[in-house]
Amino acid sequence: MKTFKKIFGFASTRVGFFCLLICLFWAKTIYAYFIDFSLGSEGLLQFILLFLNPIATTVILFGLAFFLKPAKLFYPAIIFLDFLNTVLLYLNVIFFREFSDFMTVSTMTGYSKVDQGLSGSSLALTMPHDVFYWLDIIIIILLLIFRIIKIDHRQFESRMGLAVVSVGALLLSANIAIADMDRPQLLTRTFDRSYIVKYLGLDAFTVYDGIQTHNSNAMRSNANKSEIYQIKNFTDQHYAAPDQAKFGKFKGKNVVILHLESFQQFLINKKINGKEVTPFINKIYNSNHTYAFDNFFHQVGQGKTSDAENMLETSTYGLPQGSLFAQVGSDNTFQGAPAILDQQGYSTAVFHGNVASFWNRNNTYKNLGYQYFFDASYYDTSGDKATGYGLKDKLLFKDSTKYLQRLQQPFYAKYITVTNHFPYQLDDKDMKNNRLKAPDTDDTAVNNYFLTAHYLDQSVKEFYDYLQKTGLDKNTVVVLYGDHYGISNAENPSLAPLLDKDGNNWNDYDNAMLQRVPFMINSPAIEDGHVSSVYGGEIDVLPTLMHLLGINSQKYIQFGTDLFSPQHDQVVAFRNRDWVSPKYTSINGTIYDTKTGKEIHPTAKQRRQIKANQDKVNMELSFSDTLNQQNLLRFYQPEGFNKVDPSAYNYSSGLYREKKIERERGANSTSLYDTNGRQNTEKDYKTDAPEANEPRSNSNRIQITNPDANREK
């Protein structure tokens, strides 16, 4: 009893009442973190930050009540602030249950064109324990009404409010500094909204998102329609007409994109300890049924994997800072491959065993026009079936067959692999089937990189076996590409001896050359396959693919050019405005002879060509940034292309649309399931993955580790 009297006695002072409300709001925020948001933590520092991050912003917000005079306004003001913050917390709880994501300012204000607002089914999303979020406010009000907590009528100087807010600001600064130590570039790269909430708290995320939204809206409100025509003139001038011998070569065929995580060109045909690292992918690369490129470069910036996807799908560059998917993907207008092919009669789908919200894919894919997104929620990721980055590759391919077989043909399907990702770890079960012995360098990441690449190779082979067993391969074009580097610049000197290079003399030119990643187009319809030495990059994939499918890319705004066109531009721009071409390479202003790797001092004639290349790269990147940051594609609609309506897509609906089409078409259905006599083809998929036959555990939630963090660019 004495303890309660002391508590209520302290709470009857304004400072005590303030502290009580801080503690109560902190408690329900932590409750939401673990019960409804399921924010996992890795390591002691993350765990500590998760517990501390609600305090600083709550102190600042509730501290505003100290500035009010007369004193009697303090109590209704701080309770109102507590109520507003609880509303924000609870709306995010409801929103998260439906969308596995946090509410953005655009969602709250109704600005977003994505159907991501709270739906009419919100009541169905409530749960009995939700009373916990409101109970404290009700009890506090009752305690005040019955004078168990008394009103403190003493007058405080305004400096009291200033002192409280200053303490909160100091705590917030310390929070940000510690978070940046554990997660560098947290606020500049914005991998996933959950990371900002995990490190800085829900209030800080809302403020941060509000600033980002304001800046984005300001840029968009000042956008001038005339700029889109300047950009269109630029892309028209640099358009490369298709090679007529290849135009339409794959018209009407299925397209499968194999996104090879962190897969670099030097892995192709590479042997370690006398054994090929990627024997099956080598077979594809060297096949006369494959068009392959050995001077194809990744061009990603801070968005890394998402930048690669953006270039692949839209032929526009990522942003100078952060991820385009994360920063503008929810609201931007796109004219990407999924929408273009959808309007050509294709089914479109993405298969990825990571959580849907990572890189904001759950929103961006809708604006790109993907009909289906099969994320981690569609797979059994329990036990050892997943790494911190999602479902293992062998299981992703195997477990996706149940969905792939129901897609109406032709389809455009993208598989995003994850196992070959830093820190390149395989568990003991997977190592039993790994027939490669790792090299022995002084860097563990370098050594393990070859092992996970070998695992990825085995995964691709199993998928190809399935395509051949079911006959899908005969009507399918498979595009394989590496999204970005696997070995960072800091690790390249350790890698050098394996590439017959001297690590002690490694330089920026060598780093640039290791931005090469594989790019292959494979199909039984190809009979003149070869390895091309044409220079190109990820920005060139979409126009190349469109022309092969018989779709002219000229009416769209695309910064890449067809790799098969005689007019293809071989100056490859990097996101930092460096570039490489068959003759010259420019890195940090230093010019190298691309063939020899030697630094050169250009002649007057060479300087003119180099300047022309640099000017073109600068203008191309600037135009792309303007296009995306100001959302200029909303002002331009190509003839015959319908603007994407993201509200048409609901990624929680599975294959409802495709099954409906199967029923409507009956004998005319083109899905593999129907053309195979309505026989399930899952049995045709064979894998040596030891986890494939393991029973499902109670938990199907994976704790996602940021796969692109702490990696030197």
Side-chain angles (χ1 to χ4, degrees):
M1 185 64 70
K2 288 183 178 179
T3 303
F4 280 109
K5 283 185 177 180
K6 287 182 179 179
I7 292 173
F8 291 132
F10 180 61
S12 295
T13 67
R14 251 183 290 172
V15 172
F17 191 75
F18 169 80
C19 292
L20 177 61
L21 262 59
I22 292 288
C23 291
L24 291 173
F25 190 81
W26 171 86
K28 59 189 177 187
T29 302
I30 296 300
Y31 184 81
Y33 281 0
F34 286 94
I35 301 302
D36 286 303
F37 299 148
S38 299
L39 293 179
S41 60
E42 294 185 358
L44 180 61
L45 191 58
Q46 265 193 34
F47 188 77
I48 292 172
L49 283 172
L50 196 63
F51 268 85
L52 294 182
N53 72 49
I55 297 175
T57 51
T58 309
V59 167
I60 293 172
L61 182 63
F62 289 9
L64 297 176
F66 282 102
F67 288 97
L68 295 176
K69 294 180 181 180
K72 63 181 180 180
L73 294 178
F74 171 83
Y75 289 91
I78 196 170
I79 291 174
F80 181 67
L81 291 170
D82 189 4
F83 173 77
L84 287 181
N85 221 18
T86 301
V87 168
L88 176 65
L89 175 64
Y90 188 64
L91 286 178
N92 272 279
V93 167
I94 295 295
F95 190 83
F96 198 91
R97 286 173 187 164
E98 186 167 3
F99 298 104
S100 298
D101 200 0
F102 295 97
M103 290 186 71
T104 65
V105 171
S106 295
T107 305
M108 298 177 204
T109 59
Y111 171 80
S112 175
K113 298 178 180 63
V114 183
D115 183 26
Q116 60 177 13
L118 292 175
S119 69
S121 62
S122 295
L123 187 61
L125 295 170
T126 59
M127 301 182 71
H129 72 257
D130 290 357
V131 68
F132 179 78
Y133 294 112
W134 302 100
L135 192 60
D136 65 312
I137 296 178
I138 296 171
I139 292 174
I140 287 293
I141 292 174
L142 290 174
L143 290 173
L144 286 170
I145 290 173
F146 290 103
R147 299 179 62 86
I148 296 172
I149 293 178
K150 298 177 176 59
I151 302 294
D152 183 357
H153 293 284
R154 290 177 298 167
Q155 190 66 46
F156 282 102
E157 297 289 336
S158 296
R159 61 187 179 184
M160 180 64 181
L162 184 61
V164 171
V165 172
S166 297
V167 169
L170 185 63
L171 290 172
L172 181 60
S173 299
N175 192 163
I176 293 173
I178 296 171
D180 192 64
M181 289 168 54
D182 191 62
R183 187 69 62 189
Q185 299 178 315
L186 174 67
L187 296 178
T188 56
R189 295 186 64 188
T190 321
F191 309 99
D192 190 334
R193 296 184 180 109
S194 64
Y195 281 97
I196 298 180
V197 175
K198 184 188 297 188
Y199 280 91
L200 302 181
L202 189 59
D203 288 343
F205 160 72
T206 304
V207 172
Y208 168 80
D209 182 70
I211 294 171
Q212 294 288 92
T213 301
H214 171 75
N215 292 339
S216 177
N217 290 347
M219 290 187 68
R220 293 170 187 220
S221 63
N222 294 324
N224 191 327
K225 285 186 179 182
S226 64
E227 293 184 85
I228 192 67
Y229 299 110
Q230 295 178 32
I231 296 171
K232 185 65 172 69
N233 287 337
F234 176 85
T235 57
D236 282 345
Q237 291 170 13
H238 292 86
Y239 169 73
D243 177 352
Q244 289 303 314
K246 291 186 171 61
F247 186 78
K249 187 179 183 71
F250 305 133
K251 187 175 181 63
K253 290 191 179 296
N254 301 319
V255 178
V256 171
I257 306 290
L258 298 187
H259 177 110
L260 306 179
E261 176 60 50
S262 304
F263 199 99
Q264 293 179 248
Q265 176 68 22
F266 66 76
L267 289 169
I268 299 295
N269 296 328
K270 182 66 184 173
K271 289 186 176 182
I272 295 293
N273 297 315
K275 289 190 175 180
E276 290 180 282
V277 179
T278 58
F280 185 73
I281 294 177
N282 294 346
K283 182 180 177 182
I284 297 172
Y285 182 83
N286 297 306
S287 169
N288 63 348
H289 297 304
T290 300
Y291 297 133
F293 296 82
D294 60 5
N295 285 313
F296 183 86
F297 292 78
H298 80 75
Q299 299 168 281
V300 306
Q302 291 181 344
K304 296 189 73 179
T305 297
S306 64
D307 278 0
E309 287 189 77
N310 174 67
M311 283 184 279
L312 179 87
E313 308 285 20
T314 72
S315 193
T316 68
Y317 292 93
L319 299 179
Q321 285 189 321
S323 162
L324 183 145
F325 271 31
Q327 292 188 20
V328 300
S330 296
D331 302 305
N332 258 25
T333 299
F334 295 104
Q335 294 165 9
I340 293 170
L341 293 178
D342 179 1
Q343 294 174 32
Q344 297 288 326
Y346 277 70
S347 300
T348 59
V350 182
F351 303 95
H352 184 35
N354 200 334
V355 292
S357 62
F358 198 81
W359 288 127
N360 194 32
R361 287 185 175 105
N362 53 332
N363 294 315
T364 307
Y365 282 166
K366 292 178 182 178
N367 282 332
L368 284 170
Y370 269 114
Q371 297 165 1
Y372 300 105
F373 176 22
F374 299 100
D375 70 303
S377 66
Y378 283 89
Y379 303 100
D380 176 9
T381 58
S382 63
D384 294 328
K385 297 180 178 69
T387 69
Y389 319 128
L391 190 67
K392 293 177 181 178
D393 297 342
K394 290 182 180 180
L395 300 176
L396 172 70
F397 286 121
K398 176 184 182 296
D399 293 348
S400 295
T401 56
K402 70 183 77 171
Y403 309 119
L404 182 69
Q405 68 178 348
R406 305 304 289 255
L407 292 178
Q408 291 293 305
Q409 301 183 69
F411 54 70
Y412 175 81
K414 179 169 65 176
Y415 289 81
I416 303 177
T417 63
V418 299
T419 309
N420 188 47
H421 208 306
F422 181 83
Y424 314 115
Q425 293 177 341
L426 295 175
D427 56 34
D428 292 340
K429 295 177 184 177
D430 294 315
M431 282 300 296
K432 289 180 181 178
N433 295 323
N434 199 303
R435 294 178 285 276
L436 187 72
K437 182 181 178 183
D440 186 23
T441 73
D442 59 0
D443 192 305
T444 302
V446 172
N447 297 339
N448 290 343
Y449 178 68
F450 293 93
L451 299 180
T452 53
H454 188 67
Y455 175 95
L456 174 56
D457 182 76
Q458 292 174 324
S459 306
V460 172
K461 183 182 186 305
E462 290 178 354
F463 179 66
Y464 259 80
D465 289 344
Y466 168 79
L467 294 180
Q468 292 169 359
K469 181 73 179 291
T470 59
L472 264 182
D473 64 313
K474 296 179 177 61
N475 193 41
T476 299
V477 179
V478 181
V479 176
L480 305 93
Y481 85 111
D483 63 342
H484 55 71
Y485 66 83
I487 305 301
S488 71
N489 288 352
E491 295 158 341
N492 282 341
S494 297
L495 172 69
L498 299 177
L499 306 180
D500 299 322
K501 300 274 189 179
D502 182 359
N504 294 321
N505 294 320
W506 197 268
N507 61 18
D508 289 341
Y509 168 84
D510 296 311
N511 287 333
M513 293 303 106
L514 280 193
Q515 288 193 211
R516 286 186 175 94
V517 292
F519 179 61
M520 297 167 249
I521 302 170
N522 174 253
S523 169
I526 297 173
E527 297 178 349
D528 58 340
H530 60 280
V531 178
S532 171
S533 293
V534 167
Y535 279 66
E538 290 163 335
I539 202 76
D540 301 313
V541 173
L542 182 57
T544 303
L545 182 60
M546 285 178 63
H547 289 172
L548 288 171
L549 295 174
I551 306 168
N552 197 306
S553 66
Q554 187 170 16
K555 66 181 179 181
Y556 299 95
I557 292 180
Q558 299 175 355
F559 293 98
T561 56
D562 185 345
L563 290 164
F564 296 108
S565 171
Q567 300 160 357
H568 168 66
D569 187 348
Q570 296 193 69
V571 177
V572 183
F574 297 148
R575 182 55 264 192
N576 62 359
R577 298 184 183 249
D578 290 341
W579 51 270
V580 61
S581 73
K583 291 184 69 174
Y584 309 114
T585 295
S586 176
I587 307 295
N588 297 324
T590 300
I591 307 301
Y592 299 89
D593 182 304
T594 300
K595 287 185 171 58
T596 66
K598 303 293 185 183
E599 182 180 345
I600 63 173
H601 301 283
T603 64
K605 182 179 179 181
Q606 290 173 326
R607 280 197 298 271
R608 286 193 293 273
Q609 180 60 59
I610 290 166
K611 183 179 184 302
N613 290 353
Q614 188 68 63
D615 288 347
K616 191 260 184 182
V617 165
N618 292 344
M619 185 170 291
E620 186 168 281
L621 289 167
S622 294
F623 274 146
S624 179
D625 293 341
T626 300
L627 181 81
N628 286 316
Q629 290 172 332
Q630 298 187 20
N631 192 21
L632 293 179
L633 283 179
R634 61 191 154 136
F635 300 132
Y636 176 72
Q637 186 167 335
E639 183 180 354
F641 177 81
N642 298 318
K643 185 179 177 181
V644 173
D645 176 12
S647 67
Y649 309 114
N650 181 354
Y651 294 148
S652 63
S653 64
L655 280 171
Y656 172 78
R657 175 181 175 275
E658 293 299 306
K659 290 181 179 179
K660 182 180 178 183
I661 293 174
E662 281 183 340
R663 291 195 298 271
E664 290 173 348
R665 291 186 176 180
N668 294 322
S669 172
T670 60
S671 70
L672 175 62
Y673 178 76
D674 277 341
T675 57
N676 195 45
R678 301 187 69 79
Q679 295 294 312
N680 192 326
T681 62
E682 291 180 71
K683 65 182 183 305
D684 293 321
Y685 201 102
K686 306 300 180 186
T687 179
D688 65 5
E691 307 89 353
N693 298 315
E694 289 181 357
R696 186 188 187 101
S697 73
N698 293 330
S699 173
N700 188 37
R701 183 175 292 277
I702 54 176
Q703 297 297 335
I704 297 299
T705 300
N706 176 1
D708 289 326
N710 301 323
R711 301 288 288 150
E712 181 178 337
K713 290 177 59 188

